[in-house]
Amino acid sequence: MQVETKVKAINCLHFINGQFVESQNKKSFENINPATEEVLGTVAEGGKEEVDYAVAAARRALNGKWKNITTGERSKILRRIGDLILERQEEFARLESLDTGKPFWLANSIDIPRAAYNFHFFADYMISVNTDANQQDDQAIHYSYRRPVGVVGIIKPWNLPLLLLTWKLAPCLAMGNTAVIKPAEWTPMTATLLMEICKEAGVPDGVVNLVHGFGPNSAGGAISEHPDIDAISFIGEPGTGSAIMKAAASSLKKLSFELGGKNPNIIFADSDLDEVVETTIKSSFINQGEVCLCGSRIYVERPAYEEFLKKFVEKVKTLKVGKPENEDTKVGALISKEHYDRVNSYIEIARNDGANILTGGKRPEGFDKGYYLEPTIITGLDRNSRCVREEIFGPVVTVMPFDMEEEVIVQANDSHYGLSATIWTNDLRRAHRVAHQIEAGIIWVNTWFLRDLRTPFGGMKNSGIGRTGGMHSIDFYSELSNITIKL
Ligand code: NAD
């Protein structure tokens, strides 16, 4: 069934010092709907000038009225932002789906409610953050004092636009910082609407600023090298992280990086295969496989290999690839022509490496327009194939058998990435044993994507620097001073 489209796309302007503004030179670019290849609207194209203007506004706001707003009042503002997102949930979900090509029901049931929850969670969490005091015999008392880091640059990817922006912006505001945000060029709409909501919720002018644009030699580059930005929170590819790190080095910015993944999904033969298949379908193909946490390397213990593959392939063949607005669509469109070509190039690599494509590997029939690709399951690849080693970030997984626990641990760790992993087993001791040896920041046992926002989130190796979530986010978005008083 098709859902009625009530919300129209929006033309996106920058939001600086509490106002929506065009670029100084009136430059803009087109925003393309990946499901239809039609133009959704225009986006102001910012660069150094707009970033300078936004940073100056953020610096003024840091030392203005925002500084004197109490923790309790800031918490109320955060809660109000979350409430307002929920009041306009359908509008947000519609814009997110138009921008990304993801199914509307997915945006409406996960991305947008979770974005609101990011604000609600930190609104509660921030008021429980307290100060440690230590007394040193009768010599001295030491206590720590937390203050904002300052002006924070937030640079975002396109896959979960509002969810990931709010994951950073909520703790950033909770700790009293001000922000200059750059959304991904492919997905500017929900970030723009969020600015309207921040203003309505009572965020003072200049506290939150948004500059649209691209990466190098554009808004992203200007934020990374700006001498008056104190910290950068970045989510995206490792190569971009490296470029940002270089640009930020001259002003020694504090950095938080959440980067890519090539996550192993390890299935032991003692696990409940029906449950495994059900969750593995999600961990492989939800959001068209465009989630950093997707388990794209599936390792199955040999006794269960054939049965798992049979059940998995059968179910995946029934997944409906379709228009994002249709309720029965399970896999929507990929983000862009460029990305669609890139994902297809990996399928070509797999073919050249002698792989078996058990299902998918092509554009579904009946689509003249839009970047649609069938969910693809590949077997028969060597661990050195680029398809097994590199992040594809699309609806493509490889499946490989294994015989020994030690062997699969080595294979799982044979990656430059270390974001997440999933282990399926009903053997408690093995679950702990294997989990302790997997080099990843987030490890799930018999589940996937189950999150408690207090827990550390982030990757090791090329998957990131630092952790976010609960106190980890509070630590990044604040500076601690220790004060010692001689008694
Ligand atoms: P990307 O690195 O290409 O772009 C991310 C952002 O950085 C965009 O806003 C882009 O304009 C900007 N940018 C690009 N070059 C820049 C430069 N030189 N200086 C400053 N800014 C620059 O990533 P993407 O394609 O948008 O997103 C996909 C990647 O993000 C994947 O690798 C995925 O795994 C990763 N990701 C990680 C997480 C996580 O939590 N670890 C979450 C989502 C996505």
Side-chain angles (χ1 to χ4, degrees), residues 155-159 164 182-185 214-216 220-221 224 234-237 240 243-244 258-261 292 391 393 419 457:
I155 303 178
K156 316 299 311 157
W158 45 261
N159 63 327
L164 292 175
K182 195 203 86 66
E185 48 273 42
F214 300 90
S224 312
F234 169 70
I235 305 182
E237 289 179 6
T240 311
I244 291 176
E258 283 176 12
L259 309 174
C292 56
E391 184 184 40
F393 214 54
L419 185 57
F457 181 90

Side-chain angles (χ1 to χ4, degrees), residues 78 122 166-177 473-474 477:
L78 260 67
F122 279 106
T166 53
W167 177 235
K168 303 299 181 182
L169 184 60
C172 173
L173 297 182
M175 297 319 291
N177 300 281
S473 296
I474 300 298
Y477 291 103

Side-chain angles (χ1 to χ4, degrees), residues 164-375:
L164 292 175
L165 168 56
T166 53
W167 177 235
K168 303 299 181 182
L169 184 60
C172 173
L173 297 182
M175 297 319 291
N177 300 281
T178 58
V180 177
I181 299 159
K182 195 203 86 66
E185 48 273 42
W186 306 107
T187 53
M189 291 199 288
T190 49
T192 307
L193 185 56
L194 182 68
M195 297 302 99
E196 198 180 307
I197 276 184
C198 286
K199 185 151 180 144
E200 193 182 339
V203 176
D205 291 352
V207 170
V208 176
N209 305 276
L210 176 83
V211 180
H212 293 288
F214 300 90
N217 307 313
S218 182
I223 289 175
S224 312
E225 61 195 23
H226 202 289
D228 206 26
I229 287 186
D230 302 289
I232 292 193
S233 167
F234 169 70
I235 305 182
E237 289 179 6
T240 311
S242 172
I244 291 176
M245 200 175 216
K246 277 188 202 131
S250 58
S251 50
L252 293 171
K253 297 186 197 321
K254 192 174 182 184
L255 300 174
S256 159
F257 284 175
E258 283 176 12
L259 309 174
K262 185 73 184 176
N263 310 305
N265 181 358
I266 303 169
I267 300 164
F268 286 98
D270 69 344
S271 51
D272 175 347
L273 277 194
D274 289 330
E275 191 189 344
V276 175
V277 168
E278 207 183 310
T279 304
T280 301
I281 285 176
K282 291 189 192 127
S283 69
S284 304
F285 301 119
I286 200 162
N287 207 51
Q288 301 71 244
E290 296 167 326
V291 179
C292 56
L293 302 167
C294 274
S296 49
R297 291 183 286 151
I298 303 175
Y299 299 97
V300 190
E301 201 175 14
R302 203 169 303 268
Y305 183 68
E306 290 303 332
E307 191 188 346
F308 168 80
L309 265 185
K310 185 170 173 292
K311 291 184 172 191
F312 187 46
V313 172
E314 233 166 56
K315 286 234 164 167
V316 170
K317 280 186 172 164
T318 68
L319 290 182
K320 180 128 194 315
V321 183
K323 293 183 180 168
E325 60 271 26
N326 291 352
E327 276 177 357
D328 59 352
T329 291
K330 291 287 185 278
V331 179
L334 301 189
I335 186 70
S336 64
K337 167 89 170 61
E338 192 185 13
H339 189 58
Y340 174 81
D341 289 345
R342 187 177 167 273
V343 173
N344 271 299
S345 76
Y346 279 99
I347 297 172
E348 209 40 49
I349 289 171
R351 285 203 176 96
N352 291 336
D353 287 349
N356 311 308
I357 313 273
L358 301 190
T359 183
K362 59 180 173 35
R363 191 180 171 80
E365 281 168 20
F367 290 92
D368 304 333
K369 294 275 181 195
Y371 311 121
Y372 296 96
L373 181 64
E374 288 182 354

